[in-house]
Amino acid sequence: DAGVIQSPRHEVTEMGQEVTLRCKPISGHDYLFWYRQTMMRGLELLIYFNNNVPIDDSGMPEDRFSAKMPNASFSTLKIQPSEPRDSAVYFCASSLYGGGYEQYFGPGTRLTVT
Amino acid sequence: SQQGEEDPQALSIQEGENATMNCSYKTSINNLQWYRQNSGRGLVHLILIRSNEREKHSGRLRVTLDTSKKSSSLLITASRAADTASYFCATDTGGGNKLTFGTGTQLKVEL
């Protein structure tokens, strides 16, 4: 298996623009997690899905952030409009049995908002 | 504040030495996991220890868990330059299938 795939790997955009991050989880994994990592806040869970259904979005910072999982092999995290403070590395992770078990992380998307 | 906090924040050792890093957490847990993150990469799972276990080994890794003190330690024996990375503990508190990650320890192993 290719592991968790994320695209793009790097994104540079101007403030106010829409940003869409993409993730393909490992086939057969029922759980998908979106994290954000910054020096100041560390690794934060934004939202997670179980069987394509959002379960907990309490970590989503603002209404500017939204996430979808239209099918078992694809998820998106959208920021609209983007702001400089959204600059971070965004990780997608998937798990077979849920968060209490091993999670497999993608390589991350480094987002820079100028 | 973080559920898990690692100590020390940074650690520098010579190749061949042992590295010990600690994790403290606040609430009761179902299990605790350790992950490694190489610079610019995603996190990689190292080991999982359940709340009813006290010690676990995997290769050069040894993890202990003391639920009475709400703490865990990760020992890497005979360290190598390739072990240079950040190490994070993550706890499953049973509150909904998610993990809470600690602040991380940056380990540097010098030749």
Side-chain angles (χ1 to χ4, degrees):
Chain A
D1 201 315
V4 175
I5 299 172
Q6 290 187 246
S7 64
R9 292 295 309 277
H10 301 274
E11 177 80 38
V12 180
T13 190
E14 293 184 348
M15 182 174 64
Q17 297 297 306
E18 177 181 294
V19 175
T20 299
L21 310 181
R22 297 173 176 80
C23 174
K24 176 179 168 58
I26 293 173
S27 177
H29 282 193
D30 289 337
Y31 287 81
L32 184 139
F33 305 84
W34 281 102
Y35 292 91
R36 176 172 69 176
Q37 186 176 40
T38 62
M39 290 294 293
M40 291 295 293
R41 290 199 174 92
L43 195 65
E44 305 172 276
L45 176 66
L46 300 178
I47 185 171
Y48 80 91
F49 296 81
N50 178 23
N51 291 322
N52 314 336
V53 176
I55 302 299
D56 184 346
D57 65 355
S58 60
M60 296 286 261
E62 299 170 36
D63 290 345
R64 299 184 296 106
F65 287 69
S66 62
K68 293 182 180 180
M69 192 165 186
N71 57 63
S73 58
F74 184 66
S75 178
T76 60
L77 178 67
K78 186 175 293 186
I79 307 172
Q80 165 65 19
S82 58
E83 296 182 4
R85 59 195 168 118
D86 301 331
S87 296
V89 181
Y90 291 80
F91 289 102
C92 175
S94 69
S95 178
L96 185 57
Y97 294 119
Y101 291 82
E102 177 178 357
Q103 293 188 15
Y104 294 80
F105 281 73
T109 295
R110 181 173 294 278
L111 173 65
T112 303
V113 183
T114 60
Chain B
S1 61
Q2 297 277 356
Q3 157 74 336
E5 295 194 6
E6 283 87 340
D7 168 58
Q9 287 189 324
L11 179 62
S12 182
I13 60 174
Q14 298 292 314
E15 197 172 46
E17 295 180 336
N18 296 341
T20 300
M21 51 206 89
N22 305 296
C23 168
S24 59
Y25 56 91
K26 294 183 173 64
T27 62
S28 61
I29 60 171
N30 288 336
N31 70 64
L32 184 145
Q33 304 180 34
W34 285 90
Y35 286 78
R36 182 187 75 227
Q37 184 179 31
N38 290 89
S39 180
R41 309 287 289 273
L43 280 74
V44 174
H45 179 267
L46 295 176
I47 197 166
L48 181 153
I49 187 166
R50 302 200 182 280
S51 60
N52 61 352
E53 297 176 308
R54 291 296 168 259
E55 188 171 313
K56 205 160 184 181
H57 296 254
S58 177
R60 294 183 295 113
L61 305 181
R62 172 179 169 250
V63 169
T64 61
L65 179 64
D66 187 335
T67 53
S68 66
K69 295 181 179 178
K70 292 187 171 58
S71 68
S72 173
S73 67
L74 171 67
L75 168 67
I76 304 174
T77 59
S79 63
R80 306 166 182 167
D83 295 328
T84 295
S86 292
Y87 292 82
F88 295 87
C89 66
T91 51
D92 166 30
T93 59
N97 286 310
K98 59 186 180 182
L99 293 175
T100 303
F101 283 82
T103 51
T105 292
Q106 285 188 312
L107 172 66
K108 183 176 182 181
V109 181
E110 300 184 84
L111 294 171

